[in-house]
Amino acid sequence: MATPDDVDRIIEQWRRERPELDLAAMATFGRLGRLFAHLGRAVDETFTRFDLQRGEYDVLAALRRSGAPFVLTPSALSDVLMLSRAGMTNRLDRLEAAGLVERRANRSDRRSMLIALTETGATLTDEVTTLHVANESALLSDLTPDERHHLDTITRKLLSRFE
Amino acid sequence: MATPDDVDRIIEQWRRERPELDLAAMATFGRLGRLFAHLGRAVDETFTRFDLQRGEYDVLAALRRSGAPFVLTPSALSDVLMLSRAGMTNRLDRLEAAGLVERRANRSDRRSMLIALTETGATLTDEVTTLHVANESALLSDLTPDERHHLDTITRKLLSRFE
DNA sequence: ATCGAATAATACGGCGTCGAACTATATGCC
DNA sequence: GGCATATAGTTCGACGCCGTATTATTCGAT
């Protein structure tokens, strides 16, 4: 048995107070939630070094990986990043002010805009991404190859219910 | 090989644009992030039915599982819920206004307060918790016993670096 | 015993997000 | 062809959280 952690202590409290409940799933959710909080902070350190927020990087990354000419509509960005349209408008305002993206007219649909990475934005994105993926790899480096494979299988299975 | 999902498509884009990067960890993080977003929404449905927010429930739950007389200090709550002191003051204001907790003087340290579940708060918490754990169990019901065990082992291992 | 440092909770200002309302443009049906 | 409906993006107001400053109280070293 592994050494008890914070979640074990929480579950033990619940078991004492509400012994009739099935708490296995609560333990899993508790670990996932806390893990997500910690990993989020660790990941953000990379972005902070470049005066970026995670959400801003997510926009730059979506544009960059879409390939040349690095152009997407705000709606497409909203959908892929699971962010409201209003929130996307706000992010794009910031990125545009920072000179990392620019808004262009969409000649085929005048309701729409096209968001394009600037030269500066593309260069920055490549630089940040290199460090970001290295950081992510390091954060998972404690896991064995089998464990990584299991984690991917499980998250893929759970995700399939939603996407 | 499992059917490709949204994250597979994202990784495939990166592979085309930046073939020199090791993207395995990015795929894992991508699935974890999206999964967390979806699970969060699914979990919140239970709380919304009781006019609660997840963060508010977290406070009630921490008090409830601490056992009778269901009393903790704001600082203890901040620590266990990984929330700033300012954020906790705000949550407690709302919970107090809703009549679910009450602030009491701490006779042994006059800098401090004691937060106590009210009778109403304790009853509500028990009711919500019953449904909440059932919902969490249902959300993991696609996983085999082996997969659940793997998930717990992996998250426990990753968490140990932080806690 | 006293004074400086640490701690508890709160107040304040700012930030990022959301939902709803709004404007402009496009689509589809009769 | 014209009009209702849908869609794209933005604006607005509200909300929850954070970091910092503030006030009150306690702890600790001398």
Side-chain angles (χ1 to χ4, degrees):
Chain A
M1 182 65 185
T3 62
D5 63 11
D6 291 354
V7 174
D8 287 318
R9 282 182 276 277
I10 288 170
I11 295 299
E12 174 55 25
Q13 288 188 308
W14 275 122
R15 200 193 56 72
R16 184 158 45 228
E17 295 293 319
R18 298 285 307 274
E20 82 282 13
L21 293 178
D22 174 10
L23 297 166
M26 182 188 258
T28 303
F29 270 84
R31 288 203 178 80
L32 273 178
R34 297 175 81 90
L35 180 60
F36 194 76
H38 288 299
L39 288 178
R41 278 178 209 160
V43 160
D44 286 345
E45 287 172 15
T46 303
F47 304 133
T48 302
R49 284 198 277 156
F50 291 87
D51 279 309
L52 281 175
Q53 300 179 89
R54 197 193 320 175
E56 293 168 355
Y57 169 79
D58 288 342
V59 173
L60 299 177
L63 291 166
R64 176 62 185 83
R65 70 179 180 250
S66 74
F70 310 131
V71 168
L72 291 171
T73 64
S75 295
L77 287 166
S78 293
D79 293 341
V80 70
L81 300 182
M82 301 199 291
L83 177 70
S84 73
R85 304 289 148 100
M88 185 55 66
T89 295
N90 189 21
R91 278 191 200 173
L92 293 174
D93 286 346
R94 278 177 274 146
L95 289 168
E96 191 175 35
L100 302 175
V101 308
E102 59 184 27
R103 284 178 164 95
R104 296 180 188 160
N106 184 347
R107 260 182 282 281
S108 68
D109 185 342
R110 287 194 298 177
R111 292 172 304 182
S112 178
M113 300 261 94
L114 292 177
I115 309 300
L117 271 187
T118 62
E119 186 80 21
T120 309
T123 306
L124 178 68
T125 304
D126 277 341
E127 191 179 353
V128 177
T129 299
T130 302
L131 295 176
H132 173 53
V133 300
N135 188 33
E136 286 182 324
S137 295
L139 287 167
L140 299 182
S141 62
D142 290 343
L143 298 183
T144 67
D146 267 2
E147 286 172 335
R148 295 175 204 222
H149 182 69
H150 286 141
L151 181 55
D152 284 340
T153 303
I154 291 165
T155 52
R156 188 189 292 270
K157 193 168 182 179
L158 290 173
L159 263 183
S160 69
R161 177 184 287 213
F162 298 105
E163 303 197 322
Chain B
M1 182 61 185
T3 63
D5 64 10
D6 291 355
V7 174
D8 287 318
R9 283 183 274 278
I10 288 170
I11 295 300
E12 174 56 24
Q13 288 187 306
W14 275 122
R15 199 194 56 72
R16 184 159 46 230
E17 295 293 320
R18 298 285 306 275
E20 82 281 13
L21 293 179
D22 174 11
L23 297 168
M26 182 187 259
T28 303
F29 271 83
R31 288 202 179 82
L32 274 177
R34 297 176 82 89
L35 180 60
F36 194 76
H38 289 299
L39 288 178
R41 276 177 209 162
V43 160
D44 286 344
E45 288 173 15
T46 302
F47 304 134
T48 303
R49 285 199 277 154
F50 292 87
D51 279 310
L52 281 174
Q53 299 179 81
R54 198 193 319 176
E56 293 168 355
Y57 170 79
D58 288 342
V59 173
L60 299 177
L63 291 166
R64 176 62 186 84
R65 71 177 179 253
S66 74
F70 310 132
V71 168
L72 291 171
T73 64
S75 292
L77 286 166
S78 293
D79 292 341
V80 69
L81 300 183
M82 301 199 291
L83 176 71
S84 72
R85 304 291 151 104
M88 184 54 65
T89 296
N90 189 19
R91 278 191 199 175
L92 293 175
D93 286 347
R94 278 177 276 143
L95 289 168
E96 191 175 33
L100 302 175
V101 308
E102 60 183 27
R103 285 178 163 96
R104 297 181 187 161
N106 184 347
R107 259 182 284 281
S108 68
D109 185 342
R110 287 192 299 178
R111 293 171 302 182
S112 178
M113 298 263 97
L114 291 177
I115 308 300
L117 271 187
T118 62
E119 186 80 21
T120 309
T123 305
L124 178 69
T125 305
D126 277 342
E127 192 179 352
V128 177
T129 299
T130 301
L131 295 176
H132 174 53
V133 298
N135 187 34
E136 286 182 325
S137 296
L139 287 167
L140 299 182
S141 60
D142 290 344
L143 298 184
T144 68
D146 267 2
E147 286 171 335
R148 296 176 202 219
H149 182 69
H150 285 141
L151 181 55
D152 285 340
T153 303
I154 291 165
T155 52
R156 188 189 292 271
K157 193 169 182 178
L158 290 173
L159 263 182
S160 69
R161 178 185 284 211
F162 299 105
E163 301 197 323

